Amino acid sequence: MPSERCAHRLSASKKNERVDNIINFLKTAQPQQISTKLHDIWGIPQSTITEARLLLTLGADPASLYVDDYGKKTLRDRIDNGSVCDDCTHKWNDFLEYASAIYEEMNEQTPLNIPRGKRIEGVLPLCLDGGGMRGLVSVVCLLFASKRLFGDESLPDYFDWLIGTSTGSMLALSLAKGLSIRDCFFQYWNMKAQIFLRGSTFNRLLGDQVTVQTKNINRVLEGCFPTETFHKCPRRLTVPALDIMRAPAKLHVFRNYSFTRPFGVQLDEEQDMLFRDAARASSAAPTYFEPLIYNDKVFVDGSFVANYPLNVLFKEYDLFVKHGNALQLACVLSIGTGEPESSDRKYKLGKSIRTRAKNIGHLSTLILEQVVGQDLTAVEMAEDRCHAHNIPFVRISPKGINVRIDQIDDSKLMDMIWTTLLYLVRNVSEVDRLGEVLFKLFSDQTERKRRSNTVL
C-alpha cells in the first residue's frame, strides 16, 4: 500500500525512536551487520536519511546499493509511493552520489606502518576546540583520520598531551579516560537531549532553562567521569577555564604536571582535580549554564579566553621554558569544531520591550559566536610560531558548519556530520599531511636508533 507520507514528516517521537534504535544497534554491531542494515533500511518507507548517514559514518559499506542499481531503483520507487518527498530527494541522491567515495577514502586505504608502542623524541599535543554539540565534528574528524591513516581508532593514542576547551575538554578527558572514538561519538549523541532543552534565547535569558540545564550537565558529567582524577592520568592534561571571581577575569588552567618536575612525579594531593569538575568549569557557557563555584573561584566557559586552546598550549610551553624544563614539541595537531559560512544577521532598531528583548538575544548570540570561534587569529599565530620553530602544524576543521552549540535535533546534527564528511573527502590532503608528519616522526626515530646501535 503506498505510503503517501515522507519519513521526515513522521512525529518527532517516532523519528527519535528510529534513530535511537540505530544508535543502540551500532553500539554492538559488527561491520558486516552494519552494512547489511544499510541495505535493509534503504527500502523501508519509514526510514530517514539520518539513519542511512549514521550507518555510513560508523562503518557501513554502501557497495550493495550500487549492485544492479538497487539504490537508484529503490529510491525511485520510494519517491513514486510518497515515502520520499521532493524536499528530501536531494539528500537521498547526495547519499548515493558520495557514499561510495566517503567509505573508500575513510576505510579502504593502506594503513600507515607505524609499530605500536613506539616512542619519539618530544611531546605530541592534541588541541581540541570548544563549540558545544559541534564537538561531534571533532569526533568525526578524528574517526575519519584515524580510520584512513591507521585502519583503526588508534590515532589519539599517539598523542601524549591532551588540551581541550569547553566541549573539547569533554572530548579530551573522555579520550584520556580510555574511550574509543566511537564511544565518544555515542557519548555526545546521547548526552545532547540529556543536557539541552528546546527553547529560545529569550527563554534562556528570562526563564529557568539555565538552571535546569545546569542540573542536567552536572548529572551527565558525574555519569561520564564518576571517579577519574587528573593525577591518575598517564598523559598530560590541560583544561582552561575563566575565573570571574575578581575583575578583571583571569585565565585558570587545570593541569596534572609540574613545570619544575619530570612528568609522572607525584604532585600535591590538594592540587588534584576530578575530570567532571574540570569539564564543568571549562564548559560553563553563560546563558546556557550557571558558573561553577569551586573552592574560592567562580568559573565560566574557557572559550572566553581559549576557544582554540593553541594559545594555552604555547603559554604552558613558555612556562616550561621559564622554569628551565623546556619541552620539545614534535608536532601540533589542532582539531576544530567547524567554521561557519557568513550570513546576514537579523537586527532591527526599535524601542518596544519585545524588540529590545530580541536584540538582547541577538547580542547574546553575537558574544557566544565570538566565544566559540569566529576569529581564527589564534590559529594563525600558532601556525606562524610553529613554522618559525620548524614544528609541524596540522589543523583540521571543516568549513560550512552553521549549527548552534545547543542543537539537539537529530536531522540537523546529521546534516552537520554529512557536511563534515564531504569536507574531509574533498580536502583529504589535510588528513594525509598529518599521516606524512607522523610517519616521518616515527621513521626518523627508528633510523636514529638504528644508526646509534650501528655505532655502538
Side-chain angles (χ1 to χ4, degrees):
M1 180 177 179
S3 170
E4 298 182 354
R5 189 182 191 192
C6 182
H8 92 270
R9 295 195 177 100
L10 296 174
S11 67
S13 61
K14 187 63 177 178
K15 287 188 291 186
N16 291 339
E17 180 184 353
R18 292 193 60 84
V19 172
D20 289 345
N21 288 338
I22 289 291
I23 290 292
N24 290 330
F25 165 80
L26 284 165
K27 289 178 180 178
T28 58
Q30 298 300 311
Q32 183 55 51
Q33 293 174 310
I34 298 175
S35 300
T36 301
K37 188 73 169 180
L38 174 60
H39 182 276
D40 292 343
I41 68 105
W42 192 262
I44 297 176
Q46 292 77 31
S47 66
T48 64
I49 191 64
T50 296
E51 298 166 61
R53 288 172 169 179
L54 275 170
L55 291 164
L56 178 69
T57 302
L58 294 173
D61 184 348
S64 67
L65 300 183
Y66 303 99
V67 177
D68 297 327
D69 274 346
Y70 167 79
K72 287 184 178 180
K73 292 176 181 177
T74 304
L75 177 58
R76 192 158 52 242
D77 290 342
R78 291 188 60 185
I79 293 172
D80 290 342
N81 69 27
S83 67
V84 174
C85 68
D86 292 341
D87 293 338
C88 291
T89 296
H90 77 279
K91 291 186 178 181
W92 290 92
N93 280 323
D94 275 357
F95 188 94
L96 284 177
E97 181 176 356
Y98 296 108
S100 181
I102 290 171
Y103 182 82
E104 179 182 350
E105 298 294 356
M106 185 174 178
N107 297 285
E108 296 188 335
Q109 304 303 306
T110 302
L112 293 180
N113 185 22
I114 297 178
R116 301 297 189 225
K118 185 179 290 293
R119 304 295 298 174
I120 64 171
E121 292 182 9
V123 179
L124 279 173
L126 170 60
C127 298
L128 299 165
D129 291 2
M133 286 308 303
R134 296 211 312 260
L136 276 167
V137 172
S138 300
V139 174
V140 172
C141 287
L142 285 173
L143 182 63
F144 184 99
S146 190
K147 295 285 285 183
R148 177 177 176 83
L149 299 178
F150 297 102
D152 54 30
E153 298 182 36
S154 63
L155 173 60
D157 298 339
Y158 288 88
F159 293 84
D160 47 15
W161 191 356
L162 303 177
I163 304 126
T165 297
S166 193
T167 196
S169 72
M170 180 77 176
L171 180 52
L173 294 171
S174 296
L175 293 171
K177 179 183 175 180
L179 266 63
S180 68
I181 305 175
R182 284 170 63 92
D183 288 339
C184 291
F185 183 96
F186 296 134
Q187 180 173 268
Y188 267 89
W189 193 271
N190 289 336
M191 74 181 182
K192 63 185 187 301
Q194 297 172 359
I195 294 177
F196 295 110
L197 304 177
R198 296 185 184 275
S200 64
T201 302
F202 187 83
N203 289 337
R204 290 204 315 275
L205 294 174
L206 302 179
D208 64 349
Q209 188 168 332
V210 171
T211 299
V212 175
Q213 290 184 168
T214 299
K215 293 179 180 178
N216 290 346
I217 194 173
N218 288 340
R219 183 172 57 253
V220 167
L221 290 174
E222 186 172 354
C224 292
F225 310 116
T227 60
E228 289 78 11
T229 68
F230 270 50
H231 287 187
K232 293 180 181 179
C233 181
R235 292 195 272 183
R236 284 183 174 85
L237 293 175
T238 306
V239 173
L242 184 66
D243 179 12
I244 60 171
M245 185 66 181
R246 296 175 180 81
K250 183 179 180 181
L251 169 69
H252 182 92
V253 177
F254 301 105
R255 58 176 75 89
N256 65 342
Y257 48 83
S258 166
F259 296 116
T260 59
R261 306 180 197 174
F263 181 69
V265 172
Q266 183 66 38
L267 302 177
D268 296 337
E269 190 64 30
E270 61 269 16
Q271 295 178 349
D272 204 358
M273 183 80 175
L274 287 166
F275 277 19
R276 65 173 183 258
D277 289 333
R280 171 73 175 85
S282 189
S283 302
T287 80
Y288 289 94
F289 306 109
E290 296 172 353
L292 174 70
I293 300 174
Y294 186 85
N295 293 336
D296 60 342
K297 295 178 172 59
V298 180
F299 294 112
V300 296
D301 200 313
S303 293
F304 273 104
V305 283
N307 186 65
Y308 308 108
L310 291 159
N311 58 338
V312 173
L313 163 66
F314 285 107
K315 181 178 177 64
E316 298 290 282
Y317 173 85
D318 290 341
L319 286 172
F320 275 108
V321 173
K322 179 180 178 180
H323 288 88
N325 188 24
L327 296 177
Q328 177 182 341
L329 297 181
C331 164
V332 174
L333 173 60
S334 172
I335 301 292
T337 55
E339 317 299 340
E341 295 175 343
S342 62
S343 60
D344 294 332
R345 189 185 305 280
K346 297 178 181 179
Y347 188 90
K348 296 181 179 180
L349 296 175
K351 297 183 179 180
S352 70
I353 294 177
R354 184 177 180 82
T355 302
R356 289 179 179 179
K358 285 185 176 180
N359 288 339
I360 289 174
H362 289 316
L363 178 60
S364 171
T365 301
L366 173 63
I367 293 172
L368 284 168
E369 282 176 0
Q370 302 310 309
V371 169
V372 299
Q374 312 303 311
D375 184 0
L376 290 170
T377 302
V379 176
E380 295 166 355
M381 292 176 64
E383 186 171 12
D384 289 344
R385 180 164 180 176
C386 285
H387 180 74
H389 292 84
N390 200 30
I391 300 170
F393 177 87
V394 180
R395 166 83 173 169
I396 301 175
S397 187
K399 307 298 188 294
I401 305 297
N402 282 319
V403 173
R404 291 168 57 104
I405 66 174
D406 62 343
Q407 183 58 255
I408 63 175
D409 184 272
D410 289 344
S411 62
K412 291 180 180 179
L413 288 173
M414 202 62 237
D415 285 345
M416 174 185 76
I417 292 172
W418 185 252
T419 299
T420 298
L421 290 171
L422 292 181
Y423 176 88
L424 291 169
V425 167
R426 293 165 178 164
N427 298 272
V428 75
S429 59
E430 296 178 11
V431 176
D432 289 345
R433 181 170 178 270
L434 171 62
E436 292 167 2
V437 168
L438 293 177
F439 185 80
K440 186 175 188 303
L441 284 174
F442 285 93
S443 297
D444 288 352
Q445 179 73 0
T446 300
E447 180 63 18
R448 280 193 293 270
K449 286 186 176 181
R450 188 190 66 78
R451 291 177 180 177
S452 175
N453 291 336
T454 301
V455 172
L456 290 175

